[in-house]
Amino acid sequence: MYFALNKKINDDFSVNGTFGANYRDYNYHYTYIKAASLTVPDLFTIGNVSGNPTTSQTDTKLRSNSVFASASFDYKKSVYLDLTARNDWSSTLPSSNWSFFYPSATVSWIASDLLKIDPQILSFVKLRASWAQVGNATDAYQLAMTYSSKDLNPYNGTTPFHLPTTMPALNLKPESITSTEIGAELKFYQNRFGLNVTYYDKVAKDQIMDIDISDASGYDKMKINAGEIENKGIELEFQGQILKSDRGLNWNVAVNWAKNKNQVNKLYSDLKKYQISSSWGSITVEAIPGEAFGVIKGVGFNTDTNGHIIVGDDGLPEASKTPIVLGNVMPKWTGGINNSFEWRNFNASFLIDMRWGGSIFSVTDWFGGMSGVTEETAQTASRAGTNGKNIREVGLVVGQDVLKNKTVVKADGSANDIVVSAQDYYESYWNTPEQGIIDASYIKFRELTFGYSIPHTILNKIGKIQSANISFVGRNLALLWTHKSNDVGIDPETAFGTTNAGMGIEQYQLPATRSLGFKVSLTF
């Protein structure tokens, strides 16, 4: 439910506004019944189950109320001020905290309307700034211990129940995100070229998360408000009409580039780290105060004061005695370029995007080397300094050519010259998961489209259809380039899923897929 206001005060000033409210009553009911085997083959009814069926049921209820308002003021259609305000009440929070308010304000100025600028050179100028807060509650039933039935057969005719292993939150507060943004939009040469620049600073506070606690408490985790994470950076976008013709070839280019600086400002109380995910070989991905979100830690190489890797008397790299920082999942920058073409009734476009920097732990690389199934385990000894023979026959000396340009020395600081067998070296991967750390940089052929628009002379004969286009569409077509440390050729994007649980870790994933198809678009 909402109400709207549109008022022109005078020739220069006008205001638009809305006010509304929202009531949400959420009820979720889920029932699951499974038969592991059937008494009569191909009779798919639960009454035909052989043995006891597996059953479960979930009921979730929550309620929220909201009131919201917005107002937009403009002066001479050149200066705009937009204000919003919203207050939510959520049943998933304690009664003392279930109300939370979040406002926003945006101001913009279309300078080209008020300044005398030659449109042949500078066609459009818009400056903008904004500040906003966003609040967020949590899921239902996080405030008290709620029993759940075990998905097992009844014990002596009684269904067992259990308490959660996560301790309920105490005085839980809503999450909040505060963001500040400034930017400019410029267009040149009668809008043929454009540049959009944005600087932003976003701080997330009171994040709701589960932290590890002592098992002596009877729980393994506790839900709390923990953490403040800040993201700030710059985004650039360039658009240009390289070729422009009413009847000939048109070529448009769009280039974007973004650099984000991420930092964990603080965690809960004296908490030194928060584990985001983990993998084989003691590898963990963590949030650490003062560091970028997504620090990769694990057992690595033992190094001297100069950072040179030390080998033991057996010629194999020594492992660090404790986990060390091996990298961070966050990229240095991302970007892309899209080209689109039109010629008469034909249209085509292709998109290339890229990521530079950031690390991932690749189980494929680490485990593949350890088990001797990757290409590097059968390399020619020209890379290992033993006259061009296969290292499986003559062994290798662990040096820069083997350890990806890292200096390797003995304990006394002298250059390593100890020959080891290929099997001994690659089996030592198990002791140093750092061998599986690779650079996640890539360039991808992301998308290709090629289409044809049906001429209006044909559509007019059909009637009712205003426009029609048929296109071939291909997505995720090719991995054009990866960093040389990615010598197994995995798709780095497989290590970045939709949640934080698998961030920075490549394991168990299915290979990347490309999709090819056709699209038909009709306008009536």
Side-chain angles (χ1 to χ4, degrees):
M1 176 182 68
Y2 74 96
F3 302 93
L5 168 69
N6 189 340
K7 179 67 174 179
K8 184 176 182 179
I9 299 176
N10 53 46
D11 291 340
D12 294 334
F13 191 79
S14 63
V15 59
N16 297 301
T18 61
F19 174 80
N22 182 71
Y23 170 78
R24 181 187 181 211
D25 192 3
Y26 177 84
N27 287 274
Y28 175 82
H29 178 75
Y30 170 82
T31 302
Y32 173 83
I33 304 175
K34 175 184 176 182
S37 60
L38 301 174
T39 302
V40 178
D42 299 326
L43 179 58
F44 297 102
T45 66
I46 201 63
N48 187 38
V49 61
S50 176
N52 293 322
T54 301
T55 62
S56 66
Q57 179 175 317
T58 301
D59 289 282
T60 303
K61 295 183 179 180
L62 62 87
R63 184 173 296 170
S64 66
N65 298 319
S66 306
V67 292
F68 52 87
S70 67
S72 178
F73 305 89
D74 75 81
Y75 174 71
K76 291 187 175 181
K77 301 298 181 182
S78 296
V79 180
Y80 296 86
L81 174 63
D82 297 298
L83 304 172
T84 69
R86 183 183 178 103
N87 201 97
D88 287 351
W89 293 262
S90 175
S91 65
T92 63
L93 297 171
S95 58
S96 57
N97 294 328
W98 65 20
S99 173
F100 49 101
F101 174 76
Y102 44 101
S104 74
T106 301
V107 61
S108 59
W109 174 35
I110 303 178
S112 51
D113 288 348
L114 298 180
L115 302 178
K116 295 181 178 180
I117 304 174
D118 184 359
Q120 298 292 333
I121 300 175
L122 188 59
S123 313
F124 181 80
V125 179
K126 181 179 180 180
L127 306 177
R128 63 183 186 277
S130 66
W131 178 90
Q133 280 189 337
V134 177
N136 185 43
T138 186
D139 299 328
Y141 312 131
Q142 305 297 308
L143 307 179
M145 292 182 289
T146 306
Y147 280 94
S148 300
S149 61
K150 298 286 286 185
D151 188 17
L152 299 171
N153 292 328
Y155 178 75
N156 286 338
T158 302
T159 300
F161 281 75
H162 68 94
L163 288 171
T165 58
T166 299
M167 181 181 291
L170 300 175
N171 194 35
L172 195 67
K173 296 183 291 185
E175 299 174 330
S176 68
I177 299 176
T178 303
S179 59
T180 304
E181 181 178 302
I182 58 174
E185 183 179 350
L186 308 174
K187 293 184 179 181
F188 307 90
Y189 300 107
Q190 294 184 331
N191 298 326
R192 284 195 62 176
F193 301 95
L195 179 65
N196 199 330
V197 182
T198 302
Y199 172 81
Y200 62 88
D201 189 342
K202 182 182 296 185
V203 179
K205 299 176 62 176
D206 294 326
Q207 294 176 297
I208 299 173
M209 58 179 64
D210 297 337
I211 63 168
D212 296 328
I213 59 176
S214 171
D215 292 340
S217 65
Y219 302 87
D220 55 16
K221 295 182 183 296
M222 180 178 181
K223 189 174 294 293
I224 61 172
N225 292 107
E228 179 181 304
I229 297 178
E230 183 174 9
N231 285 277
K232 55 184 176 181
I234 187 170
E235 296 176 347
L236 301 175
E237 181 183 13
F238 169 80
Q239 294 180 335
Q241 294 178 312
I242 308 301
L243 297 176
K244 184 178 180 181
S245 173
D246 293 335
R247 300 181 59 84
L249 178 64
N250 290 274
W251 174 19
N252 295 326
V253 174
V255 181
N256 65 79
W257 181 87
K259 182 177 178 61
N260 179 73
K261 183 179 180 181
N262 171 284
Q263 180 171 296
V264 179
N265 289 337
K266 62 182 179 181
L267 294 175
Y268 177 77
S269 186
D270 59 349
L271 194 65
K272 302 299 183 184
K273 65 178 183 179
Y274 173 75
Q275 183 172 305
I276 302 166
S277 59
S278 62
S279 182
W280 292 73
S282 75
I283 291 290
T284 58
V285 180
E286 302 176 355
I288 301 175
E291 302 288 340
F293 184 82
V295 174
I296 303 176
K297 295 185 69 175
V299 175
F301 298 115
N302 185 28
T303 60
D304 61 16
T305 55
N306 296 318
H308 300 156
I309 296 172
I310 301 174
V311 296
D313 294 336
D314 57 2
L316 298 175
E318 294 181 349
S320 61
K321 295 181 180 179
T322 58
I324 60 175
V325 175
L326 303 177
N328 193 287
V329 302
M330 292 297 171
K332 293 181 179 179
W333 56 264
T334 59
I337 178 170
N338 184 68
N339 287 271
S340 59
F341 305 89
E342 291 183 1
W343 181 71
R344 297 186 178 179
N345 289 64
F346 294 94
N347 63 277
S349 67
F350 66 90
L351 171 64
I352 305 294
D353 67 5
M354 61 204 70
R355 167 194 169 106
W356 187 262
S359 301
I360 61 176
F361 175 64
S362 170
V363 174
T364 299
D365 191 5
W366 176 66
F367 219 110
M370 183 185 63
S371 56
V373 298
T374 55
E375 183 180 2
E376 66 173 308
T377 65
Q379 63 185 289
T380 57
S382 58
R383 286 185 59 196
T386 46
N387 302 322
K389 295 182 180 180
N390 191 297
I391 62 173
R392 296 189 179 188
E393 300 173 8
V394 299
L396 68 151
V397 176
V398 180
Q400 288 185 346
D401 45 3
V402 177
L403 284 178
K404 302 168 184 175
N405 296 322
K406 297 178 181 178
T407 302
V408 182
V409 298
K410 298 179 183 178
D412 61 4
S414 62
N416 180 36
D417 58 3
I418 304 172
V419 178
V420 299
S421 72
Q423 180 174 345
D424 287 344
Y425 171 66
Y426 285 105
E427 285 184 347
S428 73
Y429 271 32
W430 183 262
N431 301 319
T432 51
E434 184 176 356
Q435 298 274 24
I437 299 295
I438 65 176
D439 190 302
S441 302
Y442 66 80
I443 299 176
K444 272 195 172 187
F445 188 1
R446 181 68 66 182
E447 184 174 282
L448 169 69
T449 63
F450 182 78
Y452 178 76
S453 297
I454 308 299
H456 287 286
T457 54
I458 298 177
L459 295 179
N460 292 337
K461 296 178 181 179
I462 298 175
K464 297 184 179 179
I465 300 178
Q466 297 180 7
S467 65
N469 179 276
I470 181 169
S471 302
F472 165 81
V473 180
R475 293 187 174 91
N476 203 34
L477 294 174
L479 190 58
L480 302 178
W481 174 87
T482 58
H483 191 269
K484 62 183 179 180
S485 63
N486 185 5
D487 50 14
V488 291
I490 66 163
D491 184 348
E493 279 193 310
T494 60
F496 299 94
T498 57
T499 67
N500 290 336
M503 176 183 289
I505 296 175
E506 180 264 329
Q507 63 179 5
Y508 312 134
Q509 286 98 332
L510 294 173
T513 59
R514 71 170 57 92
S515 63
L516 305 173
F518 290 91
K519 181 176 70 174
V520 177
S521 300
L522 302 175
T523 303
F524 296 93

